[in-house]
Amino acid sequence: CTSPQRTFAPLLAGCARVLRQHAPSARIVFGGLATAAEDGAKYAWLVQQALGEKLPVDAIGVHPYGIGAPGDTTIYGTLGSMQAVIDTYERRLPDYPLWITEFGALTANQPQYWEQAAAYLRRTYAYFRQRAARVPVAIWYAWSDAMHAEAGTNGLVTADGQPKPPLYAAFFEEACT
């Protein structure tokens, strides 16, 4: 039986070859890896080993939900620190920047928690700015609560399109600077 990384490696190489040929300025991002950081980093490293050469990508994409900036005390960062995620990928794949292709405040999407969601967003984006050489891209999920309502997504706007004052303002102050 072939391992998942040995199955994926030639697919990644072929797709990257076609993309580089037809869209040479396109950025190729491996991921978004949504498993525990050690598992995701190990998988990407094993794909690189299966290729026997450098990964044919420009960045590694990860989805570190439940992970906050160092010192985060909000309910949205209880599963660990972004520092540990970054360090794990740095050890396994030092030649590739990390793109945080999704992060956000899942669950507890009620008005009484919106200030905490805004604090989580602010602290996390501030941390990413400090680590911009390693994490040049960080994408908040989601724009709207309607995008994944069953998970309690904290969008910047409600399902009917109304801005959530603390979260909406925090995003435009922090993420767009």
Side-chain angles (χ1 to χ4, degrees):
C1 184
T2 303
S3 65
Q5 61 272 8
R6 290 202 176 280
T7 301
F8 183 67
L11 176 66
L12 176 64
C15 289
R17 192 171 34 258
V18 169
L19 284 168
R20 298 273 187 231
Q21 180 181 2
H22 295 284
S25 63
R27 306 286 297 209
I28 301 173
V29 180
F30 182 123
L33 298 166
T35 61
E38 185 56 45
D39 295 339
K42 182 179 179 182
Y43 177 76
W45 181 80
L46 288 170
V47 169
Q48 179 175 291
Q49 300 308 300
L51 287 171
E53 56 190 46
K54 191 173 176 178
L55 289 169
V57 300
D58 300 301
I60 307 293
V62 298
H63 298 179
Y65 283 103
I67 309 294
D72 186 341
T73 58
T74 69
I75 62 173
Y76 303 106
T78 59
L79 298 180
S81 170
M82 289 290 181
Q83 180 69 47
V85 172
I86 293 168
D87 289 348
T88 297
Y89 280 90
E90 182 76 33
R91 277 191 308 277
R92 288 269 190 184
L93 300 153
D95 298 331
Y96 305 92
L98 285 182
W99 283 22
I100 307 301
T101 47
E102 284 186 25
F103 83 103
L106 298 183
T107 70
N109 182 12
Q110 294 88 31
Q112 68 266 28
Y113 294 107
W114 292 351
E115 287 291 343
Q116 270 199 67
Y120 170 76
L121 182 149
R122 286 180 192 283
R123 286 185 191 117
T124 308
Y125 270 116
Y127 178 69
F128 290 147
R129 279 196 305 277
Q130 292 172 8
R131 300 298 308 269
R134 184 75 180 128
V135 182
V137 174
I139 301 168
W140 179 263
Y141 185 85
W143 174 256
S144 167
D145 288 349
M147 294 175 74
H148 200 180
E150 67 278 6
T153 300
N154 268 282
L156 304 176
V157 301
T158 61
D160 65 354
Q162 297 304 306
K164 295 179 180 177
L167 202 49
Y168 189 86
F171 177 78
F172 286 100
E173 290 165 10
E174 297 296 325
C176 298
T177 58

